[in-house]
């Protein structure tokens, strides 16, 4: 008996209900035993309200589960099933409606978390929360702003999911939903711990991976048709999510658990251990799926039964995660808490040295993950081409690897530490990420490789179709206009450093990541249009490209000179609070950074100019050969009027005749 017949009937909701019950029960037990809702009375201080102590984790649990279901359904609607002419089918429509409903529940949970968080912070009952106080909490605190932003993004995702009938709309809603889970990550335990950059980065990967993993499985169980195709696509996603969740969980726990003894002797450690055991169980179930039930997904209900049990374990794990967020971390070794350590997340480094930069690494987990993923995908693409007998330049491959390795080095080596302390080192990072790395990446032609390596999908959208759609989309056409791309590349430089954005990027890890992403994206866009061998939405004449290059170099030089001559310290509150006692003064270091900005662009600009002139010459030679071929064809066919040389000569003769006639009239 096949699985097709029961798949058409309404699906039971017991797997989702079982996951919810497991999450609530495990969260309640873990909160009680781990002290997450324990009320401690301190003489002279207000006592927390027990109702708020329970309401806050319950609301967070509801928000986390609804977020996972929303993300899973929206991602499934956009990427798990085929579509005709970009319109969603019946299965995707049902996923979108479930995603819209769960998104609305997510918004409601976030709106409950806001006053509950405020009351918990003030140790008040909810009745004491006023509108004015809540607004101040949202505007003036990172925690309030984060959950307000989550509610806003989740609302946008739910509205789009409820109204769209296109795959593109579903993809936009999915992206918004994924972004909505991120703001609270930057304000939780991870943001307050030592090495908070590593802790926050790992938690970003952990949260996104868990939401995609759990939500995708829930969407798979809700599928009524095409379950084999959906399961195959989800399986690849689940494997990546399992790796991301496992690795990021280990990294995050290592930032807060200094001794392995704490895993058994502290409430926090025991909860981490239980989460790890649950992850091992889920990994074993996933292996069994891939080895035994996936090949027979259309022939038996074994896959659904095992997946339902897996979803219940995932729900219990979510309950543990919520309890873990309320459980005090284990004690750390006594150390002097300085202003620098509080701001940086690590002790202030000593004077700059080659050894410190090369040996004392401070990994930027997000950058490393993106870089290693990009290198892996590129190499897989090259391998696919060569397996079918096509050639690919080894130089381009080396450029791609070199570009991402350079990005890792300037953000994760000792330069990662010194870039937060010295403006001069920061400027080296900036210029590298904004110029050197993009030049290497665009010259490696990743778009061309992807278009050649990815297989086209019939009656739907695969990675190749999505890439083509993005390249021809209106936003890409807009930003790829020469003046717009040049404006983004130049203006963002001035806006970042001569407004309050630079200070925000230094004190906020979210701002720091956005700054790095913007510099890399702006530089990649600019140099893609300038020297990229990949196809672009606009064909810019080479004289215009040369002009763009000289304008960009001029504005970079002006920026560097402005910084060198400035008497105002950029991000003064940040650099003064660090209390650095070695090296140049902050103002002298800033002037050195301005000099780096002024001089750094010369070598990359020379490389770009050489590449641009070489491409221009190659283009002219190619055009000349095309004209010669056309002339030869015209000669062979006896039709001189089709010879481009004769046409051009006739045009010149016509102009000369007009000039002669005008001279006679004068």
């Amino acid at each position: 008996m096949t699985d097709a017949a029961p798949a058409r009937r309404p699906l039971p909701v017991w797997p989702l209900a079982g996951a919810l019950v497991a999450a609530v029960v495990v969260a309640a037990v873990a909160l009680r035993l781990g002290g997450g809702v324990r009320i401690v009375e301190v003489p002279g201080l207000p006592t927390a309200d027990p109702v708020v102590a329970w309401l806050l984790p319950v609301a967070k649990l509801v928000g986390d589960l609804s977020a996972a279901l929303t993300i899973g359904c929206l991602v499934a609607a956009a990427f798990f099933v085929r579509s005709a002419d970009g319109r969603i089918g019946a299965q995707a429509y049902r996923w979108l409606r479930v995603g819209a409903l769960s998104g609305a529940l997510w918004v409601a949970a976030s709106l409950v978390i806001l006053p509950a968080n405020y009351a918990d912070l003030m140790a008040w009952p909810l009745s004491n929360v006023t509108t004015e106080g809540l607004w101040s909490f949202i505007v003036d605190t990172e925690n309030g702003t984060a959950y307000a932003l989550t509610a806003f993004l989740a609302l946008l995702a739910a509205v789009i999911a409820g109204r769209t009938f296109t795959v593109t709309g579903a993809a936009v809603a999915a992206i918004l939903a994924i972004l909505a889970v991120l703001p609270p990550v930057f304000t939780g335990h991870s943001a307050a711990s030592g090495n908070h950059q590593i802790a926050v980065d790992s938690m970003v990967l952990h949260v996104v991976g868990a939401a995609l993993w759990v939500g995708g499985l829930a969407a798979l169980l809700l599928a009524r048709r095409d379950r084999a195709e959906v399961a195959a696509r989800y399986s690849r996603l689940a494997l990546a999510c399992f790796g991301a969740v496992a690795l990021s969980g280990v990294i995050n726990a290592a930032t807060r658990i200094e001794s392995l003894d704490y895993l058994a002797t502290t409430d926090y450690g025991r909860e981490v251990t239980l989460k790890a055991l649950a992850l091992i169980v889920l990994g074993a179930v996933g292996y069994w799926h891939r080895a035994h039930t996936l090949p027979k997904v259309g022939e038996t209900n074994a896959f659904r039964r095992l997946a339902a049990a897996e979803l219940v374990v995932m729900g219990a794990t979510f309950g543990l995660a919520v309890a873990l967020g309320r459980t005090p971390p284990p004690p750390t070794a006594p150390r002097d808490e300085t202003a620098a350590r509080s701001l940086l997340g690590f002790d202030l480094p000593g004077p700059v040295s080659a050894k410190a930069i090369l040996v004392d690494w401070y990994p930027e987990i997000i950058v490393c993950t993106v870089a290693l993923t990009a290198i892996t995908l590129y190499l897989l693409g090259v391998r696919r081409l060569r397996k079918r007998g096509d050639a690919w330049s080894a130089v381009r491959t080396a450029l791609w690897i070199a570009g991402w390795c350079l990005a890792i080095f300037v953000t994760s080596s000792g330069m990662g530490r010194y870039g937060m302390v010295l403006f001069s080192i920061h400027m080296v990072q900036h210029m590298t990420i904004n110029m050197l790395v993009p030049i290497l990446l665009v010259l490696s032609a990743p778009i061309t490789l992807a278009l050649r390596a990815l297989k086209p999908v019939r009656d739907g959208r695969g990675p190749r179709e999505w890439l083509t759609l993005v390249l021809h989309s209106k936003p890409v056409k807009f930003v790829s206009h020469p003046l717009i791309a040049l404006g983004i590349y130049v203006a963002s430089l001035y806006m970042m450093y001569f407004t309050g954005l630079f200070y925000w990027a230094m004190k906020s890890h979210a701002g720091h990541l956005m700054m790095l992403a913007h510099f890399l994206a702006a530089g990649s866009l600019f140099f893609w249009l300038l020297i990229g061998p990949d196809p672009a939405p606009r064909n810019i004449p080479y004289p215009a490209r040369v002009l763009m290059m000289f304008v960009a170099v001029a504005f970079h030089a002006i920026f560097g000179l402005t910084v060198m001559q400035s008497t105002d310290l950029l991000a003064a509150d940040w650099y003064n609070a660090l209390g650095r006692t070695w090296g140049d003064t902050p103002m002298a270091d800033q002037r050195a950074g301005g000099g780096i900005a002024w001089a750094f662009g010369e070598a990359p600009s020379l490389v770009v100019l050489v590449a641009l002139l070489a491409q221009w010459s190659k283009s002219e030679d190619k055009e000349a050969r095309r004209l010669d071929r056309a002339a030869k064809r015209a000669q062979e066919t006896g039709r001189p009027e089709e010879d481009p040389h004769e046409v051009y000569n006739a045009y010149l003769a016509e102009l000369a005749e007009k000039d002669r006639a005008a001279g006679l009239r004068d």
Side-chain angles (χ1 to χ4, degrees):
M1 187 175 71
T2 66
D3 201 32
R8 294 191 183 95
R9 297 197 299 267
L11 290 175
V13 297
W14 68 266
L16 300 181
L20 177 61
V21 171
V24 171
V25 171
V26 170
V29 173
L31 284 167
R32 174 67 71 179
L33 297 180
V37 292
R38 188 178 300 136
I39 306 299
V40 179
E41 297 185 8
V42 179
L45 295 177
T47 302
D49 185 358
V51 174
V52 173
W54 278 101
L55 176 63
L56 185 55
V58 169
K60 287 185 176 180
L61 180 59
V62 172
D64 291 347
L65 292 174
S66 56
L69 182 57
T70 302
I71 290 173
C73 287
L74 299 186
V75 169
F79 305 108
F80 283 4
V81 290
R82 299 186 181 188
S83 61
D85 300 326
R87 307 285 293 181
I88 62 171
Q91 180 60 63
Y93 178 82
R94 284 189 288 269
W95 275 328
L96 286 176
R97 294 306 171 265
V98 174
L101 292 175
S102 59
L105 181 60
W106 184 9
V107 174
S110 299
L111 295 179
V112 171
I113 291 173
L114 278 170
N117 248 330
Y118 180 43
D120 185 62
L121 177 66
M122 303 301 293
W124 285 348
L126 279 176
S127 58
N128 284 12
V129 177
T130 63
T131 303
E132 294 79 8
L134 183 60
W135 178 251
S136 177
F137 174 68
I138 293 173
V139 174
D140 298 332
T141 67
E142 291 184 353
N143 194 279
T145 302
Y147 277 101
L149 185 57
T150 289
F152 175 70
L153 293 174
L155 179 61
L156 284 180
V159 170
I160 294 174
R163 298 182 63 85
T164 188
F165 293 96
T166 66
V167 179
T168 302
V172 171
I175 293 172
L176 288 172
I178 293 173
L179 292 176
V181 302
L182 297 181
V185 174
F186 294 92
T187 62
H189 271 175
S190 299
S193 67
N195 295 319
H196 54 245
Q197 172 181 302
I198 298 175
V200 169
D201 283 354
S202 60
M203 186 55 67
V204 168
L205 298 177
H206 197 76
V207 168
V208 174
L212 288 170
W213 189 11
V214 177
L217 181 60
L220 174 57
L221 288 171
L222 293 174
R224 297 184 181 183
R225 59 181 66 182
D226 301 325
R227 191 174 295 119
E229 179 183 357
V230 174
R233 295 191 176 187
Y234 169 73
S235 177
R236 292 190 289 269
L237 174 66
L239 181 61
C241 289
F242 173 77
V245 170
L247 181 60
S248 61
V250 171
I251 294 174
N252 194 270
T255 63
R256 278 173 282 182
I257 298 179
E258 297 184 349
S259 171
L260 292 178
D261 295 339
Y262 289 158
L263 293 174
T265 59
T266 65
D267 294 329
Y268 190 91
R270 284 188 285 267
E271 291 175 7
V272 169
T273 303
L274 289 175
K275 276 193 66 179
L277 292 175
L279 185 64
I280 293 173
V281 171
L282 292 173
V285 172
Y287 172 77
W288 187 266
H289 273 315
R290 296 177 68 88
H292 300 282
T293 61
L294 272 180
K296 302 177 181 179
V297 67
E299 304 172 5
T300 174
N301 282 325
F303 178 85
R304 183 196 284 181
R305 290 193 295 267
L306 187 59
E310 184 182 7
L311 191 64
V312 172
V313 176
M314 287 178 171
T317 308
F318 266 59
L320 272 174
V322 168
L324 194 64
R326 296 285 295 176
T327 304
T332 57
R335 59 169 60 94
D336 294 332
E337 186 65 25
T338 62
R341 181 172 182 80
S342 177
L343 292 171
L344 299 170
F346 52 85
D347 291 325
L348 188 70
V352 180
S353 66
K355 180 181 178 181
I357 290 178
L358 295 175
V359 175
D360 193 14
W361 280 56
Y362 190 59
E364 180 64 72
I365 303 296
I366 298 294
V367 175
C368 292
T369 302
V370 172
L372 294 177
T373 302
I375 292 174
T376 301
L377 293 176
Y378 194 97
L379 293 177
L380 289 175
V382 174
R383 179 188 176 190
R384 175 174 290 183
L385 287 184
R386 292 182 174 173
K387 283 183 67 175
R388 70 186 189 204
D390 294 339
W392 186 258
S393 170
V395 174
R396 287 182 173 178
T397 304
L399 289 174
W400 182 259
I401 296 174
W404 284 114
C405 288
L406 186 59
I408 292 176
F409 179 77
V410 297
T411 58
S412 301
S413 67
M415 293 185 70
R417 294 182 187 270
Y418 285 110
M420 301 296 294
V421 176
L422 295 171
F423 183 82
S424 55
I425 301 296
H426 165 81
M427 192 52 61
V428 174
Q429 290 178 303
H430 171 179
M431 291 298 169
T432 303
I433 292 293
N434 196 224
M435 295 188 73
L436 284 180
V437 172
I439 291 171
L440 295 173
L441 297 184
V442 300
L443 288 176
S444 61
I447 297 176
T448 301
L449 174 64
L451 292 175
R452 290 180 58 186
L454 295 173
K455 298 178 181 179
V457 175
R458 294 182 179 180
D459 302 326
R461 288 183 185 172
R464 192 179 193 277
E465 287 71 27
W466 278 109
L467 176 60
T468 304
L469 179 68
V470 170
L471 289 175
H472 293 89
S473 64
K474 291 182 179 179
V476 172
K477 287 184 178 180
F478 174 76
V479 299
S480 63
H481 188 282
L483 294 180
I484 300 298
L486 178 62
I488 293 173
Y489 183 69
V490 171
S492 58
L493 182 68
Y494 290 82
M495 291 182 63
M496 172 58 67
Y497 293 101
F498 297 141
T499 65
L501 288 176
F502 180 52
Y503 175 64
W504 174 67
M506 297 302 287
K507 71 175 182 139
S508 166
H509 187 54
H512 187 71
L513 289 174
M514 291 177 66
M515 177 180 65
L516 292 176
H518 174 78
F519 285 153
L520 181 59
S524 298
L525 172 64
F526 180 73
F527 291 109
W528 173 37
L529 299 179
L530 225 60
I531 58 172
D534 285 324
R538 299 177 185 274
N539 186 18
I540 304 174
Y542 280 96
R545 300 188 192 191
V546 175
L547 179 61
M548 289 173 60
M549 185 65 213
F550 280 114
V551 170
V553 170
F555 274 100
H556 266 78
I558 294 172
F559 167 78
L561 291 173
T562 303
V563 173
M564 291 174 64
Q565 297 173 1
S566 176
T567 57
D568 296 326
L569 182 63
L570 302 176
D573 292 342
W574 172 265
Y575 288 112
N576 290 331
L578 293 178
R580 177 172 57 85
T581 57
W582 48 263
D584 294 333
T585 64
M587 182 56 71
D589 181 64
Q590 178 175 300
R591 293 194 178 99
I596 291 172
W598 174 67
F600 191 95
E602 292 185 2
S605 299
L606 181 60
V607 173
V608 171
L609 190 58
V610 170
L612 195 56
L613 293 176
Q615 292 176 0
W616 191 355
S617 176
K618 185 177 179 180
S619 174
E620 293 291 336
D621 292 342
K622 184 178 180 180
E623 179 66 13
R625 289 194 298 269
R626 186 189 69 81
L627 294 176
D628 290 340
R629 287 194 300 270
K632 184 177 181 180
R633 284 195 303 269
Q635 183 179 7
E636 292 173 350
T637 57
R639 304 180 65 177
E641 66 275 8
E642 294 182 358
D643 185 345
H645 300 302
E646 295 297 332
V647 172
Y648 185 65
N649 290 335
Y651 172 70
L652 293 179
E654 182 182 356
L655 290 180
E657 180 62 26
K658 289 181 179 180
D659 290 341
R660 187 183 66 80
L664 291 176
R665 286 196 300 269
D666 293 340

